[in-house]
Amino acid sequence: MRLQRLNPGPRMSQAVLIGDTAFLAGQVPTDLTGDIAAQTREVLDKVDAVMAELGGTKADIASVQVWLADMADFQGMNAVWDAWVDAANPPARATCGVALARPGMRVEMIVVARAPR
């Protein structure tokens, strides 16, 4: 089975496919001035965009790792997540508190999904 790379760059690819399994790069917000709700919405919009490029939807997501800079944001992130997630097809999920790459970044998500394209 060969690897396929979606939008490869010098440092990383947007996603790497092995067969029909896609490993998305960490999705992060661009606007770091927003609160956890705004940043979570932006990250989930990016997940939706990559999934669409792979020919899938959130129903094709198998697993999500959610990284929060502050676990006090857990409820705020979950409020946005709960409005977004496909309740009929929820992925496995884990949430951790970590130091993120840039000041002001409150959330990052890593997705493993089926890529039906």
Side-chain angles (χ1 to χ4, degrees):
M1 215 176 293
R2 85 177 214 273
L3 296 177
Q4 294 178 292
R5 299 178 196 289
L6 178 68
N7 303 324
R11 179 170 289 157
M12 62 184 221
S13 296
Q14 188 64 37
V16 175
L17 291 89
I18 303 172
D20 69 348
T21 302
F23 300 86
L24 278 63
Q27 301 299 303
V28 298
T30 303
D31 181 359
L32 303 183
T33 64
D35 64 7
I36 189 60
Q39 288 193 21
T40 300
R41 273 191 295 276
E42 183 182 354
V43 167
L44 293 172
D45 286 347
K46 289 181 175 188
V47 169
D48 285 337
V50 175
M51 289 304 300
E53 196 167 349
L54 294 169
T57 68
K58 63 183 103 181
D60 294 300
I61 296 173
S63 174
V64 179
Q65 294 176 36
V66 179
W67 296 354
L68 296 175
D70 185 344
M71 287 303 291
D73 284 337
F74 186 69
Q75 287 184 325
M77 180 276 299
N78 270 335
V80 177
W81 173 275
D82 290 345
W84 171 85
V85 73
D86 182 337
N89 300 289
R93 194 188 94 177
T95 305
C96 308
V98 299
L100 295 174
R102 295 187 321 241
M105 186 182 298
R106 302 177 75 100
V107 61
E108 180 171 357
M109 295 186 190
I110 299 175
V111 173
V112 177
R114 181 175 74 93
R117 72 171 184 171

